[in-house]
Amino acid sequence: MGRYVIRRLLQMVPVFIGTTLLIFVMVWGLGDPVAAMFGDRTPDPATAAQIRHDLHLNDPLIQQYWIYMSNVFKGDFGNAWNQQPVTDLLKTAYPVTLRLTIVAFLIEAIVGVALGVFAGLRRGRFFDTGVLAMTLIVVSIPTFVTGYVLQYFFGVKWSIVHPSVGEGAPFKDLLMPGLVLAGVSLAYVARLTRTSVAENTRADYLRTAVAKGLPRRRVITNHMLRNSLIPVVTFLGTDIGNLMAGALVTERIFNIHGVGYQIYQGIVHNSPATVVGFVTVLVIVFLLANLLVDLLYAVLDPRIRYA
Amino acid sequence: MPENTDAVILDGVPAVAPDGAPVPVDKRDKPRSLWNDAWYDLSRKPIFYISALVILFLIVISIWPGLIASQDPLQCNLIDSQNGPSSGHWFGFDQQGCDVYTRTVYGARASVEVGIFSTLGVAVLGAVLGGLSGYFGGWLDSIISRVSDIFFGIPILLGGVVFLSAVKGGSVLTVSTFIILLGWPQLARIARGAVITAKEQDYVLAAKALGAGHGRILLRHIAPNALAPVIVWSTIALGTFISLEATLSFLGVGLKPPAVSWGIDISAAAEQIRNAPHMLLWPAGALSVTVLAFILLGDAVRDALDPKLR
């Protein structure tokens, strides 16, 4: 197991470098950051030259990337558009988005798996058809439409919840944004679980378990769920990154000052350091989540053993 | 005529008997191929017809929007701003005083174009790269897999905001290019898996034994057998790409006015939902029905092509 973890961590290194380099090139290489800083005005050539020199913009891109990355590993992500260190922004924004992601993840995992299991056990009946139809509808409507509609009805018209998230992002304010963020993934989880459960109900080991007289509860939790959840866990793991990126939309609707908000500010104010910094951290989270999923495999499925 | 016999074996269907006389083909005795089978299955499903009809209607509308909309989508009058439905303008007016119905009809084109361009691009790029990496394996597989891992490491929405705001793009072409750039690895993985399964089959070994080259094996034997998952995934993806375009427009990096698209109209209307909910209903409804139609079509095709999943 230990050796496997080390091998996977080493495999992550080139992917990490490639992904961050790609983002770096997109942000720094495709546009002209100095011209962007000045907007419509033409910068004074001497000033522009000075800024170019300070930001190492005259060096080749790969060298800029190297300088940036060596600073990142010293804990310096550069400065945002208002000269605030990006590290400070990271420290304030990430906990907020993390809370939102946790809320969304819990809703997605608990509700999605529950719906999927019940639908899978009642295949072809009313509940199953209902879940299938509902999930299709949820997937077809863009998240931001669902967000605004729910916000309008629950927040504004009926005043059941706060229409926007207050200072410090308390958990009760995050319930609705979390539900909106989880929506589409929840539908996928429910459908995936349903298919997986439905396939496993016909498996030999289940028939054996029932035949030897085990209580239904034990058959479902120990025999069926453990086998059915393997593809679901994969999906949930890779979805953590998508949830954090999806926060871009949710945070805008509900006025949450998290990662999405900061990335958006970085783009509006033409601050490449902010964008690259936030995205880099997100990529690390994404890669670590994938590693975690692979390790969870061994726990869920003893047939897979890592040398 | 040794050449002829070869062709007969490779094509699977004996079109010519060894003595050269054409074989009488009895329709009922002819073995049905996977595709015939799938078509037989599809042709008796109402869901297939409904979704196909919706998609067909959409394509016709996006080519000739004038067929069902007589007004100009850019002919707007601020005096009508946010006005509700009235005679002659059943869907009401939007923020700028444009007719919502006309804009919804004309908006179909941009969405359909983004959907088709990006799906075609993703399908071709993903299927070719994934197929080659699955078939040849070795270093080619390692390189393509690692490169796709890199693109996989960027959540598509996040990459969209970063990429599209950097290139300052706001056209169908830039949005589609971006979707192709970040979308192909997913299809490449599917194609790779399908090709690896197909290449282990006996008929591939038989073709190899008969001296078929890589090109022939790939095109005649592997491609037809590995195509099913690619087609199913692409159909469903087309719907999600249309939805993605709308979300990117909402975030301000997708298509931009004066382009007419559902994404632009939905995001403009979503922010005004408290004042004029009718503005949101029609473009959002049209988009959702479109996405739904593609998902249902993909599901129906999958059920038809893969009877095991039923």
Side-chain angles (χ1 to χ4, degrees):
Chain A
M1 191 76 175
R3 271 182 61 191
Y4 177 76
V5 175
I6 293 171
R7 204 174 71 220
R8 280 301 315 264
L9 280 172
L10 285 179
Q11 275 176 359
M12 268 168 59
V13 173
V15 176
F16 173 76
I17 294 176
T19 310
T20 46
L21 185 64
L22 196 67
I23 293 286
F24 195 86
V25 170
M26 276 187 198
V27 174
W28 288 100
L30 289 178
D32 181 357
V34 177
M37 268 177 216
F38 287 87
D40 294 337
R41 289 171 296 147
T42 323
D44 167 40
T47 320
Q50 183 63 38
I51 296 174
R52 294 193 147 274
H53 179 77
D54 290 346
L55 292 175
H56 307 283
L57 286 181
N58 296 323
D59 299 334
L61 254 180
I62 196 86
Q63 200 175 336
Q64 292 178 37
Y65 174 77
W66 176 251
I67 295 170
Y68 177 77
M69 272 301 151
S70 43
N71 281 336
V72 163
F73 280 102
K74 285 180 220 145
D76 173 18
F77 279 85
N79 288 337
W81 55 281
N82 53 4
Q83 297 308 315
Q84 216 180 342
V86 174
T87 335
D88 287 359
L89 296 179
L90 286 170
K91 273 183 206 147
T92 53
Y94 259 95
V96 174
T97 298
L98 204 65
R99 292 157 80 95
L100 176 62
T101 312
I102 290 172
V103 173
F105 186 82
L106 288 179
I107 294 175
E108 172 188 349
I110 296 170
V111 181
V113 169
L115 285 178
V117 169
F118 285 123
L121 289 175
R122 290 167 178 69
R123 225 159 81 99
R125 303 232 215 114
F126 179 73
F127 183 81
D128 179 37
T129 324
V131 167
L132 282 182
M134 278 304 294
T135 49
L136 268 183
I137 292 171
V138 168
V139 171
S140 329
I141 304 174
T143 313
F144 67 101
V145 174
T146 329
Y148 275 112
V149 170
L150 288 185
Q151 183 189 39
Y152 175 64
F153 281 111
F154 288 92
V156 181
K157 217 169 179 184
W158 303 330
S159 305
I160 298 171
V161 289
H162 284 285
S164 67
V165 174
E167 193 68 31
F171 272 109
K172 71 172 174 44
D173 280 7
L174 286 177
L175 267 181
M176 198 170 56
L179 182 67
V180 171
L181 180 56
V184 173
S185 309
L186 192 159
Y188 283 128
V189 169
R191 300 199 118 213
L192 196 62
T193 314
R194 173 192 174 272
T195 315
S196 186
V197 165
E199 263 171 26
N200 280 330
T201 44
R202 286 185 292 231
D204 291 340
Y205 61 81
L206 261 187
R207 202 183 311 135
T208 314
V210 175
K212 70 183 181 186
L214 288 180
R216 186 177 155 81
R217 199 189 169 78
R218 197 175 153 79
V219 173
I220 291 177
T221 50
N222 278 31
H223 294 250
M224 196 184 66
L225 269 191
R226 200 165 156 179
N227 280 288
S228 310
L229 284 184
I230 296 168
V232 181
V233 168
T234 323
F235 180 85
L236 284 173
T238 46
D239 204 46
I240 291 176
N242 286 327
L243 284 178
M244 293 192 102
L248 224 60
V249 174
T250 325
E251 290 186 359
R252 183 131 170 237
I253 298 171
F254 294 97
N255 191 33
I256 305 169
H257 288 197
V259 172
Y261 172 81
Q262 293 294 352
I263 292 178
Y264 192 68
Q265 291 297 316
I267 286 166
V268 170
H269 294 286
N270 283 307
S271 165
T274 318
V275 178
V276 177
F278 273 91
V279 176
T280 304
V281 175
L282 227 140
V283 166
I284 297 175
V285 173
F286 190 57
L287 293 176
L288 286 177
N290 280 341
L291 175 69
L292 206 68
V293 168
D294 280 358
L295 299 182
L296 259 181
Y297 263 179
V299 181
L300 278 173
D301 190 351
R303 282 168 295 190
I304 304 167
R305 280 278 175 250
Y306 302 115
Chain B
M1 18 162 227
E3 258 186 289
N4 211 341
T5 345
D6 241 350
V8 165
I9 292 168
L10 285 174
D11 288 344
V13 182
V16 185
D19 61 342
V23 176
V25 181
D26 184 352
K27 257 197 165 168
R28 275 165 308 176
D29 285 354
K30 197 177 157 193
R32 288 212 308 255
S33 75
L34 173 70
W35 302 102
N36 290 344
D37 234 8
W39 173 248
Y40 180 77
D41 198 59
L42 275 179
S43 64
R44 42 190 56 217
K45 272 194 180 164
I47 287 273
F48 167 72
Y49 286 110
I50 295 171
S51 50
L53 218 63
V54 169
I55 292 168
L56 197 70
F57 175 71
L58 201 79
I59 292 173
V60 171
I61 287 310
S62 54
I63 301 173
W64 300 288
L67 279 182
I68 57 165
S70 53
Q71 286 150 5
D72 182 349
L74 296 173
Q75 195 71 286
C76 311
N77 202 338
L78 270 179
I79 206 160
D80 295 322
S81 178
Q82 294 192 359
N83 274 355
S86 57
S87 76
H89 302 279
W90 290 359
F91 292 3
F93 296 91
D94 70 3
Q95 178 82 351
Q96 304 294 329
C98 311
D99 183 48
V100 172
Y101 172 74
T102 313
R103 285 190 66 94
T104 306
V105 172
Y106 276 83
R109 179 178 290 178
S111 296
V112 169
E113 277 178 355
V114 169
I116 290 179
F117 289 162
S118 41
T119 307
L120 275 182
V122 165
V124 170
L125 196 65
V128 168
L129 289 179
L132 290 179
S133 100
Y135 181 73
F136 288 108
W139 59 268
L140 188 73
D141 184 29
S142 306
I143 291 178
I144 293 177
S145 296
R146 290 295 87 74
V147 171
S148 73
D149 279 351
I150 290 171
F151 284 88
F152 227 66
I154 306 174
I156 198 156
L157 201 58
L158 194 71
V161 170
V162 172
F163 177 81
L164 290 171
S165 67
V167 297
K168 302 264 181 294
S171 66
V172 168
L173 206 66
T174 43
V175 173
S176 309
T177 311
F178 155 74
I179 296 178
I180 296 169
L181 192 69
L182 279 204
W184 70 267
Q186 194 142 14
L187 188 71
R189 284 189 182 182
I190 293 168
R192 177 175 174 272
V195 167
I196 287 178
T197 317
K199 84 169 175 183
E200 306 290 327
Q201 303 293 323
D202 289 341
Y203 54 78
V204 173
L205 194 68
K208 231 181 242 170
L210 286 166
H214 287 312
R216 192 181 173 88
I217 293 178
L218 268 171
L219 289 177
R220 298 295 304 256
H221 299 278
I222 290 188
N225 289 292
L227 213 56
V230 171
I231 289 177
V232 170
W233 188 87
S234 303
T235 315
I236 297 175
L238 208 156
T240 52
F241 289 160
I242 289 179
S243 187
L244 181 67
E245 181 271 316
T247 309
L248 289 171
S249 294
F250 165 70
L251 289 171
V253 292
L255 302 180
K256 295 199 176 75
V260 184
S261 100
W262 290 338
I264 295 170
D265 285 7
I266 295 171
S267 51
E271 282 162 13
Q272 294 292 331
I273 185 175
R274 291 171 204 198
N275 307 322
H278 71 268
M279 279 161 44
L280 181 64
L281 186 62
W282 298 106
L287 182 97
S288 305
V289 168
T290 307
V291 177
L292 192 62
F294 278 107
I295 295 177
L296 286 176
L297 183 69
D299 270 356
V301 173
R302 178 187 31 221
D303 286 351
L305 284 174
D306 193 351
K308 270 176 298 183
L309 287 175
R310 240 173 281 155

